[in-house]
Amino acid sequence: MDAERALELALSLGAEYAEVREERVLKTRITASEDINVSTRSAGGFGVRVLANGSWGFVSVNSEKDLEWGVKTAVNLAGIQRGKVRLEEVRPVRDTVRSGMKRKPSNVPLEEKVEVVKDLYSLVPNETVSRKVVKYSDFSGFKRLITSEGVEIEWELEGISLEADLTVSSNGRSAWLFSLTGSIERGFEAVDEMQERVLGEIKGQLKCFLHGKRPKLADAPVLLSPRFAGMIAHEALGHLAEADELPNTPLAGKLGERIAPKFVSLSDGNVENGHGNDRYDDEGVPVRKVEILKNGVFNEPLVDREKAFLLGIEPNGHARAESYAFEPMVRMRNTYFEPGDWTSEELLEEVKNGYYLVSPGPGQTGLDSSFTVGVLEGYTIKDGEIAEPIFGATASGKALDALPGIRGLGKELDFENSYCGKGQVVRVSMGGPHVLFERGIRVV
């Protein structure tokens, strides 16, 4: 049974709506530690989702021969209980989305990829390092979505990533250093630039480990790099605006209310070289920019078709699935503070005694907008200039309480291309300009 006949079967069994997502990818991973390890694996299958009796049913299968079973099982699962799910109407799209990479990883010889890993491994510092791992990974293939409403979209899939993972020890203390970057927009032509980014981040973190001191200032202004600001934008604010999380957050019932200064805006959508970029989401809805905060006002949440109907708003392309084996759910793409009109130098000059936080480390966040995150690279600021490095610091606060303490935002945007886990792992970017918080973030 092919995907088109699977849709017909689902409707004949009583489904109000049905979709089939097919995916086939080849993944390559090269790891350098004491040895070089190379692995390739293929993965793929079909995800079947149906809406029947107002409830969802979902099943994934690995083979086309199992599609009939998958459809029948999905319809049965949906029929177990009666629900109230309804979908906002969308215009059915038929399209093919091609990769824009100049040198697609699928066209690069394996030997060349191995040389990239060896080169980066040799360049990553060995000073005080007790463990060093460098990883390269890529994927290539396609995915396809067809629905009972007439949507038919096929995507060409290509992606690449580089990362370095170090454990360092010195003078009775130890630390974990990490850097990762990737792209689904730029291919092997960007490898040199990706190497430089990873190396620069690792060297900055190592400098703070070797020479940094514990922070001593009490409540002090904090200047965040675009990467650190992006962590706040994504982890402490963006998740609150995902419509499936929204009812359990402090933003519930606050659409249209001002929660930040007029000059502060927060957006999510496609950006240059965004790791979460796409033309359509996994429900076939065109992706558009969402102004989550607009001039300080909570303006619009991120939605899938189901939540769009409930909230009475237009779908905005934020239904995403890790792969065919998962149901689409509301997810961020590229979340960032919009730029302001300050230069980085002007923001620094505003701080007599404070901190400059560059690279965030592991931490935890809550749906009350709270966050506690390690600082892998950070510095003190004295009289408007970056001074001594700090080590062993954490930054904490509540993002919604901290927003009124924003003094200014820089002009230049930058992003970290990374991943987000919410039961499923998807590619995202997070970033913004430099952001100066006069209060609301505590560094200890």
Side-chain angles (χ1 to χ4, degrees):
M1 172 177 286
D2 59 22
E4 287 78 5
R5 289 175 60 198
L7 293 179
E8 294 173 3
L9 176 61
L11 295 180
S12 73
L13 294 173
E16 305 148 27
Y17 165 84
E19 67 188 26
V20 176
R21 289 181 294 118
E22 180 183 5
E23 184 175 318
R24 303 288 170 185
V25 294
L26 179 66
K27 299 180 180 181
T28 298
R29 170 165 284 195
I30 304 169
T31 303
S33 185
E34 295 179 357
D35 300 306
I36 300 289
N37 293 302
V38 180
S39 66
T40 60
R41 67 182 183 92
S42 60
F46 299 83
V48 179
R49 189 171 68 151
V50 303
L51 181 59
N53 296 317
S55 297
W56 287 114
F58 175 79
V59 172
S60 65
V61 297
N62 295 325
S63 171
E64 191 172 77
K65 65 182 177 60
D66 295 321
L67 265 177
E68 182 177 351
W69 174 87
V71 170
K72 291 178 178 178
T73 304
V75 173
N76 287 337
L77 289 172
I80 290 175
Q81 60 181 359
R82 182 170 297 277
K84 299 180 179 179
V85 174
R86 296 189 58 186
L87 304 180
E88 186 67 23
E89 291 187 6
V90 294
R91 191 175 188 180
V93 173
R94 292 176 177 262
D95 201 358
T96 299
V97 181
R98 298 294 184 192
S99 168
M101 290 183 175
K102 294 179 181 178
R103 287 197 72 196
K104 298 173 182 177
S106 55
N107 295 332
V108 176
L110 182 60
E111 295 77 13
E112 189 173 348
K113 299 175 185 179
V114 171
E115 286 304 311
V116 166
V117 176
K118 288 181 177 178
D119 185 42
L120 180 56
Y121 187 83
S122 69
L123 292 172
V124 172
N126 291 313
E127 189 176 6
T128 73
V129 173
S130 58
R131 174 182 173 273
K132 178 169 72 170
V133 180
V134 168
K135 295 178 183 178
Y136 164 94
S137 61
D138 67 39
F139 64 89
S140 60
F142 76 92
K143 69 177 182 179
R144 180 181 178 223
L145 168 69
I146 65 169
T147 78
S148 58
E149 296 175 334
V151 171
E152 187 168 348
I153 305 172
E154 184 168 318
W155 291 261
E156 180 183 19
L157 302 178
E158 297 275 356
I160 186 172
S161 68
L162 276 176
E163 63 183 271
D165 180 345
L166 281 70
T167 303
V168 292
S169 302
S170 178
N171 296 324
R173 65 183 188 181
S174 61
W176 171 75
L177 312 181
F178 179 78
S179 176
L180 178 148
T181 190
S183 182
I184 57 170
E185 299 270 304
R186 303 171 65 197
F188 227 72
E189 69 273 12
V191 160
D192 289 346
E193 183 179 320
M194 292 168 70
Q195 281 187 330
E196 289 179 10
R197 186 168 187 122
V198 170
L199 281 171
E201 291 175 0
I202 289 294
K203 288 179 179 178
Q205 294 171 26
L206 185 58
K207 175 182 177 182
C208 289
F209 168 71
L210 291 174
H211 307 292
K213 298 179 180 180
R214 295 281 303 185
K216 296 179 180 179
L217 298 176
D219 295 323
V222 176
L223 177 62
L224 301 183
S225 74
R227 285 189 64 207
F228 223 110
M231 182 278 298
I232 301 292
H234 176 102
E235 297 289 357
L237 291 170
H239 279 299
L240 277 62
E242 292 171 328
D244 54 344
E245 304 281 15
L246 183 60
N248 302 313
T249 78
L251 292 183
K254 291 188 180 295
L255 271 175
E257 291 188 20
R258 182 174 306 283
I259 61 173
K262 286 185 178 181
F263 59 85
V264 176
S265 295
L266 181 79
S267 300
D268 188 285
N270 291 332
V271 298
E272 184 178 356
N273 192 36
H275 217 199
N277 283 0
D278 210 336
R279 193 179 302 172
Y280 308 99
D281 72 3
D282 287 316
E283 292 183 326
V285 175
V287 175
R288 64 175 174 85
K289 179 179 178 178
V290 176
E291 296 174 295
I292 299 171
L293 299 184
K294 184 175 183 180
N295 301 326
V297 173
F298 179 31
N299 180 64
E300 183 179 359
L302 310 178
V303 296
D304 57 9
R305 291 181 63 189
E306 177 184 347
K307 296 301 187 293
F309 181 85
L310 284 173
L311 295 172
I313 65 176
E314 178 188 352
N316 48 43
H318 285 78
R320 305 182 65 190
E322 178 179 334
S323 73
Y324 74 93
F326 296 85
E327 293 184 77
M329 62 190 304
V330 181
R331 302 299 297 273
M332 285 173 276
R333 293 188 173 278
N334 310 295
T335 315
Y336 58 100
F337 284 103
E338 292 281 2
D341 54 7
W342 295 63
T343 66
S344 299
E345 292 75 16
E346 288 171 337
L347 291 171
L348 265 175
E349 288 170 0
E350 289 292 303
V351 183
K352 183 174 182 181
N353 288 292
Y355 293 105
Y356 176 42
L357 306 185
V358 180
S359 294
Q364 58 185 19
T365 58
L367 288 179
D368 60 353
S369 85
S370 63
F371 61 92
T372 300
V373 60
V375 180
L376 294 180
E377 182 181 0
Y379 304 87
T380 57
I381 300 173
K382 291 185 178 179
D383 297 323
E385 295 186 354
I386 296 173
E388 297 86 4
I390 58 175
F391 170 76
T394 60
S396 61
K398 279 191 175 182
L400 292 180
D401 293 340
L403 286 176
I406 294 179
R407 171 82 171 98
L409 300 103
K411 296 179 179 181
E412 311 255 336
L413 286 175
D414 193 18
F415 293 87
E416 175 187 9
N417 286 0
S418 188
Y419 297 86
C420 174
K422 182 182 160 183
Q424 306 178 28
V425 178
V426 296
R427 288 173 289 276
V428 297
S429 293
M430 50 193 87
H434 280 84
V435 182
L436 175 58
F437 285 81
E438 284 190 318
R439 62 187 182 278
I441 297 180
R442 185 173 176 82
V443 180
V444 294

